[in-house]
Amino acid sequence: MKMSHVVDREKMKTKEWDDNELLLRLRWNGVNFYEFVLPNGKTIVMDPYFDDPNDPHNEYKYTPTDKSAGEWVHGADVIVLTHGHFDHTGDLHSVLEHYPEAHIIIPEHTIPSVIVDQNIDYFSHYFTEAGAHDRFDFPGFTMETCRSNHNVGRAVSPLNGAGGSLYKDSNGKVDFYQLYKWIYERELINLKITTDEGFQILLWNSEMQPDGMGFETRAYFYRDAKPDLFMYQTAGRSFGGDRRHPNCEPMGKWIASVKAKSALPEHQQHFSYDELDKMAEKFSEICNAEQQSTSFLTPESGVWYGYSKNAEGEIEISRILHEMKG
């Protein structure tokens, strides 16, 4: 059996953009901003947000360009917003400015706060609310969603909420819009994207709690899914809350249970490339112990990667030399 391993970025093969063997073209643009280009040219943009260099929220600034998000992306037939936090939606307006006919897939209860925060005319764009379990058919691919939740923002305690005044101001009044926003910004969708060519991407945008459990009571959506590409969430709480000394075992076992052919991190701006590679090495060790073969890539921001399959059906990842627009 082929062993799990970390892809050496320095020794990768290269391909041209128009290579007809490519089943997927992919680029990471920092934070959780990914682009996918399918063989038929259709483009999917996920969580468009360029990191604010003056914002201390992220430890590393991986935004690869001075262009606006709308100018930078290869295209935008579909925009997926995994949830409503600012660092997943902040450049939606920019992409829509350049691609106003894009279909926006968004968790159903998240729309009000996002369109208010981004000052977007809801009636002038194709917003499609994703339900807890939903399926969308687009030219060249299908998209399935599974509802989940963002992680809890602080340690669970029986004292949280004591007194019953957390959501009231000094006059005892509740701001119901703000309360709605707090609740539904955390509503999150995970995705399966299956192309007409049979290439499947499984995006796991949820997080684990320090106990390794998190909210994944719908494990049927992931376990034994055997996608060609699995994208796993690298939020700090998924690793015990200590990013500099991450506990990789729960995540490694979770990745092994998915049985993916290849894997990528998501939301990885809190880690250096070296840290991400070392985490991937731990995941590889765990996957090998579980008799699972997965190739792990730490993508560089702003670089296009191409995915193809060899005669045995194994995934081959290449660096794409030149982007072709249009």
Side-chain angles (χ1 to χ4, degrees), residues 45 128 317:
V45 171
T128 301
I317 309 172

Side-chain angles (χ1 to χ4, degrees), residues 1-8 230 232 239 247-257 260-265 275-298 317:
M1 185 186 85
K2 185 178 179 181
M3 302 290 284
S4 289
H5 65 285
V6 180
V7 175
D8 188 335
F230 179 56
Y232 56 90
F239 300 98
N247 174 11
C248 292
E249 185 173 0
M251 181 67 73
K253 288 185 175 180
W254 179 242
I255 294 172
S257 76
K261 295 179 181 179
S262 66
L264 282 174
E275 287 175 316
L276 290 164
D277 280 339
K278 288 179 178 177
M279 290 162 62
E281 289 173 3
K282 291 286 188 183
F283 299 150
S284 294
E285 293 174 5
I286 294 167
C287 285
N288 283 327
E290 298 286 333
Q291 301 295 302
Q292 169 57 34
S293 174
T294 303
S295 58
F296 291 85
L297 171 66
T298 298
I317 309 172

Side-chain angles (χ1 to χ4, degrees), residues 2 30 38 53 76 83 86 88 92 101 103 115 132 157 168 170 215 230 312 326:
K2 185 178 179 181
L38 308 186
H83 60 288
F86 75 93
H88 295 256
L92 173 62
E101 295 184 359
H103 285 250
I115 62 174
S157 166
K168 297 178 182 178
S170 58
F215 295 97
F230 179 56
E312 289 73 40

Side-chain angles (χ1 to χ4, degrees), residues 12-295:
M12 294 182 71
K13 294 180 180 179
T14 59
K15 287 184 180 291
E16 293 291 342
W17 180 270
D18 58 357
D19 191 304
N20 60 15
E21 292 184 351
L22 293 178
L23 298 173
L24 175 70
R25 297 161 182 84
L26 172 150
R27 178 167 66 176
W28 176 52
N29 300 315
V31 197
N32 208 48
F33 185 176
Y34 270 94
E35 297 175 76
F36 309 91
V37 181
L38 308 186
N40 67 352
K42 295 299 180 182
T43 57
I44 304 170
V45 171
M46 182 174 77
D47 289 351
Y49 170 74
F50 278 153
D51 190 22
D52 181 350
N54 300 312
D55 188 339
H57 176 69
N58 299 323
E59 286 145 278
Y60 294 89
K61 312 297 183 184
Y62 285 122
T63 296
T65 179
D66 291 330
K67 293 181 178 180
S68 70
E71 295 171 315
W72 171 254
V73 294
H74 182 83
D77 292 295
V78 176
I79 303 170
V80 177
L81 304 178
T82 62
H83 60 288
H85 285 162
F86 75 93
D87 56 345
H88 295 256
T89 64
D91 283 289
L92 173 62
H93 66 282
S94 173
V95 179
L96 287 177
E97 187 177 324
H98 290 79
Y99 300 95
E101 295 184 359
H103 285 250
I104 306 108
I105 307 296
I106 181 172
E108 59 183 334
H109 300 107
T110 306
I111 288 181
S113 61
V114 168
I115 62 174
V116 169
D117 287 350
Q118 299 298 313
N119 195 31
I120 292 172
D121 182 359
Y122 173 78
F123 296 100
S124 297
H125 295 285
Y126 297 114
F127 278 91
T128 301
E129 300 92 334
H133 304 278
D134 221 332
R135 172 176 166 141
F136 306 97
D137 293 303
F138 293 104
F141 69 99
T142 60
M143 181 181 294
E144 298 169 81
T145 66
C146 181
R147 190 199 191 284
S148 190
N149 276 51
H150 199 280
N151 71 320
V152 296
R154 55 184 62 86
V156 177
S157 166
L159 297 179
N160 284 351
S165 60
L166 277 175
Y167 307 110
K168 297 178 182 178
D169 61 21
S170 58
N171 297 316
K173 293 185 178 180
V174 176
D175 181 338
F176 284 99
Y177 172 74
Q178 190 62 43
L179 177 59
Y180 182 99
K181 178 181 170 69
W182 281 334
I183 293 172
Y184 287 115
E185 277 185 337
R186 293 177 63 243
E187 182 179 24
L188 182 150
I189 52 174
N190 298 303
L191 306 169
K192 282 180 185 174
I193 299 170
T194 306
T195 71
D196 287 355
E197 293 76 18
F199 192 97
Q200 187 176 86
I201 311 164
L202 176 57
L203 299 107
W204 183 60
N205 300 297
S206 306
E207 303 175 18
M208 289 181 174
Q209 297 307 113
D211 58 10
M213 296 297 292
F215 295 97
E216 293 318 313
T217 52
R218 299 185 181 101
Y220 76 90
F221 195 73
Y222 323 91
R223 188 168 292 133
D224 298 322
K226 300 179 182 178
D228 296 295
L229 173 59
F230 179 56
M231 300 180 66
Y232 56 90
Q233 175 62 255
T234 60
R237 282 208 173 258
S238 297
F239 300 98
D242 185 352
R243 293 190 178 101
R244 302 290 77 86
H245 303 90
N247 174 11
C248 292
E249 185 173 0
M251 181 67 73
K253 288 185 175 180
W254 179 242
I255 294 172
S257 76
V258 174
K259 294 183 169 57
K261 295 179 181 179
S262 66
L264 282 174
E266 288 187 66
H267 220 323
Q268 64 266 37
Q269 77 280 0
H270 293 289
F271 297 94
S272 68
Y273 291 131
D274 183 59
E275 287 175 316
L276 290 164
D277 280 339
K278 288 179 178 177
M279 290 162 62
E281 289 173 3
K282 291 286 188 183
F283 299 150
S284 294
E285 293 174 5
I286 294 167
C287 285
N288 283 327
E290 298 286 333
Q291 301 295 302
Q292 169 57 34
S293 174
T294 303
S295 58

